[in-house]
Amino acid sequence: PGFARMAAATPPLKPTLTGVELDPSGKAHCAWCDTAIEKDSPRVVRLFFHAPGSYSRNNGASTGENPGGWQKHFMHPQCTFHFDDNSKGKDAKCVGCGQDVKPRERVLSRFGHKDARCKPSSSAPLYYCFDCCAGFLRSNHALLVGHVGVQQAEAAVAWRSRLFPVAGTSGGPPPLPRDQAVRQAFLSCFRFGDSEDAAAEASAVARHIELQRTIAAALTADRKRKSPGG
């Protein structure tokens, strides 16, 4: 009876972003791009239910059995929130406030496919309205300033291809709203104050570029391994 009362009083777990912390070891890999998260750099913590028996690459190991259950997975802050540009998507509830939000009026957070980095997995994404996304980022601003920002959110990502890529470059612009009002509402999620801090914005862009170079190198290595004779 005592256990039953305690269990009843414990709120049920659900997939959600729980906060931001500094990586203690440099061994964890991002659940979106599957590249390492640098030691002492911020990582977003996502609570996720993992089926038993299959290996979780996000725990920093390369082999092994997973016991299953609710676990913490980690993501680079730059990889955590994407604008939902799926015009054919359906309304979905915001993980933060529980309100229904339409496609192109929300951000999503999703894992990468187990066999291909930066390709969406089959697991359901987490949807956040702009206000709840902004609230999450601002509540963790002490760790995120200089890592994400307005200019960083507009910067090219290695996993997007341009229609006509320029020689020697890789990647392309992230999915962003075409409607200027919606675009500004999305970008305001990454603004930590009334105005943009130039030094923090420059730092976020520089860190973003370095991360995208790492991801681009990993994607190139993936292609070579999969190509005949690679």
Side-chain angles (χ1 to χ4, degrees):
F3 175 80
R5 285 196 297 271
M6 181 177 68
T10 303
L13 296 175
K14 64 178 182 178
T16 188
L17 302 177
T18 62
V20 180
E21 62 186 24
L22 295 180
D23 188 283
S25 67
K27 295 180 179 179
H29 282 219
C30 174
W32 169 250
C33 71
D34 199 25
T35 66
I37 300 174
E38 291 185 3
K39 182 180 178 181
D40 296 327
S41 67
R43 65 187 188 186
V44 176
V45 182
R46 175 172 167 173
L47 191 65
F48 180 76
F49 187 86
H50 202 289
S54 58
Y55 151 66
S56 171
R57 62 181 178 166
N58 191 226
N59 62 11
S62 57
T63 60
E65 292 296 314
N66 192 308
W70 289 99
Q71 301 172 4
K72 291 181 178 180
H73 287 228
F74 310 113
M75 305 180 76
H76 293 115
Q78 301 93 331
C79 295
T80 301
F81 290 114
H82 304 166
F83 174 70
D84 185 4
D85 63 341
N86 180 11
S87 61
K88 298 182 180 179
K90 298 180 180 179
D91 291 6
K93 291 192 179 299
C94 169
V95 174
C97 64
Q99 298 296 312
D100 288 336
V101 283
K102 299 179 182 297
R104 299 191 178 184
E105 295 180 8
R106 64 195 184 199
V107 299
L108 54 80
S109 181
R110 67 192 319 164
F111 290 154
H113 194 277
K114 63 183 181 67
D115 296 322
R117 71 185 79 242
C118 303
K119 176 182 177 182
S121 74
S122 58
S123 60
L126 302 180
Y127 295 103
Y128 286 84
C129 68
F130 294 154
D131 286 344
C132 286
C133 175
F136 176 85
L137 293 171
R138 290 168 189 167
S139 67
N140 294 282
H141 72 280
L143 294 178
L144 294 176
V145 168
H147 292 269
V148 295
V150 175
Q151 295 175 32
Q152 172 271 321
E154 295 183 287
V157 289
W159 45 273
R160 293 279 284 196
S161 298
R162 297 180 186 274
L163 183 59
F164 301 105
V166 178
T169 65
S170 62
L176 290 174
R178 294 184 180 182
D179 181 278
Q180 285 302 311
V182 178
R183 186 186 185 98
Q184 291 307 313
F186 168 74
L187 293 176
S188 69
C189 296
F190 302 89
R191 183 176 290 113
F192 294 105
D194 295 333
S195 60
E196 297 170 28
D197 182 289
E201 284 287 321
S203 173
V205 170
R207 287 186 167 109
H208 178 90
I209 291 172
E210 286 303 310
L211 173 60
Q212 299 311 312
R213 286 174 177 165
T214 299
I215 296 173
L219 289 168
T220 299
D222 291 345
R223 286 192 290 269
K224 288 182 178 179
R225 280 194 297 268
K226 293 177 182 179
S227 64

